[in-house]
Amino acid sequence: MYKVNEIFETIQGEGNYTGTPAIFLRLQGCPVGCSWCDTKHTWDIQPDLLIQLGDTTQKKADSDHWAQADAQAILALFQQRAYRAKHVVITGGEPCMYDLNPLCELLHQQGFSTQIETSGTFEILAPLQTWVTVSPKVNMKGGYEVLRSCLERANEIKHPVAMEKHVQELEQLLIGLDCQNKLIYLQPISQKAKATQLAIEACMAHNWRLSVQVHKYLGIN
Ligand SMILES: C[S@@+](CC[C@H](N)C(=O)[O-])C[C@H]1O[C@@H](n2cnc3c(N)ncnc32)[C@H](O)[C@@H]1O
Ligand SMILES: Nc1nc2[nH]cc(C(=O)O)c2c(=O)[nH]1
Ligand code: SF4
Ligand SMILES: [Mg+2]
């Protein structure tokens, strides 16, 4: 069973799939504790905030209510809502706290492609066809650190930056990692002008890519 914070259809605003229509499945729960996290309402799993799965598609604002569902129920809801997107982004919270194999396998059988957005602090339990975006977390207050196996599995590494030390953290993580088939992105934290300038300069210097959370500039989910 998965704990679902929300389900919605939008345009992927980050990383390699930017611009792609996608169904977003946001799972509840994350212990990593990034101070600048833009989804803090997904951190805790409060038993008294349980809702029906259908109500996770109707949220008008961020909320920490969540629903319980298995893979079949999630697929049935996608069909019931008549979503058009064929790409599913599983995010959170920290989606890799869950075994994502049953869900991704079912979605692949039904013709969807899948993508995971993860901090890389939990082992990734998902099929090889699943596109894995690791946004590595270093020294966050929850005490979790990015796993080498997650960096190795990543199809893209997307590092949030606001300060020069964040660029250095990524340089350190990439030492000895085979990046031949990986895309490397910097993502400015919270659309701050200074963070964006830093990211542009560091991308140019390292030949990395820039990811700017397009949805936030567009004012969409
Ligand atoms: C909310 S997280 C959820 C998935 C997973 N826990 C993770 O951290 O990758 C999704 C993406 O948003 C990024 N993110 C979170 N807060 C952000 C912020 N304020 N500015 C830029 N990116 C942010 C994360 O680093 C991650 O790449
Ligand atoms: N449009 C849109 N694109 C996204 N890419 C990653 C997101 C996330 O919260 O993981 C996200 C999100 O919340 N909205
Ligand atoms: S790991 Fe992801 S969801 Fe968890 S606190 Fe950090 S950015 Fe937020
Ligand atoms: Mg987001």
Side-chain angles (χ1 to χ4, degrees), residues 28-154:
Q28 191 75 21
C30 182
V32 178
C34 307
S35 58
W36 38 261
C37 175
D38 63 5
T39 54
K40 288 182 172 156
H41 57 288
T42 64
W43 287 8
D44 297 332
I45 299 169
Q46 298 185 48
D48 54 323
L49 298 183
L50 183 62
I51 56 175
Q52 294 294 316
L53 183 63
D55 293 333
T56 66
T57 65
Q58 313 285 358
K59 289 188 173 181
K60 297 275 179 281
D62 290 347
S63 96
D64 41 6
H65 289 75
W66 56 277
Q68 192 98 31
D70 62 11
Q72 286 288 351
I74 291 168
L75 172 66
L77 187 65
F78 291 178
Q79 291 164 339
Q80 186 201 322
R81 299 288 298 182
Y83 291 138
R84 306 281 280 286
K86 297 302 281 179
H87 186 64
V88 178
V89 179
I90 306 168
T91 183
E94 179 40 65
C96 291
M97 291 178 23
Y98 299 86
D99 182 353
L100 300 173
N101 276 303
L103 177 61
C104 291
E105 278 163 13
L106 180 67
L107 291 172
H108 294 162
Q109 280 164 22
Q110 298 293 319
F112 292 96
S113 55
T114 58
Q115 174 177 8
I116 299 170
E117 300 268 356
T118 179
S119 59
T121 56
F122 289 82
E123 190 190 345
I124 297 163
L125 301 171
L128 277 175
Q129 306 101 282
T130 299
W131 182 272
V132 174
T133 304
V134 172
S135 178
K137 301 296 157 18
V138 179
N139 269 328
M140 298 306 175
K141 61 174 181 296
Y144 291 80
E145 294 296 330
V146 62
L147 305 174
R148 201 70 190 163
S149 58
C150 292
L151 291 171
E152 286 163 356
R153 169 69 180 82

Side-chain angles (χ1 to χ4, degrees), residues 8 14 24 26 38-39 91-92 213 215-216 221:
F8 57 100
E14 304 180 18
F24 275 74
R26 191 179 301 288
D38 63 5
T39 54
T91 183
Q213 295 195 293
H215 52 296
K216 297 199 182 170
N221 275 341

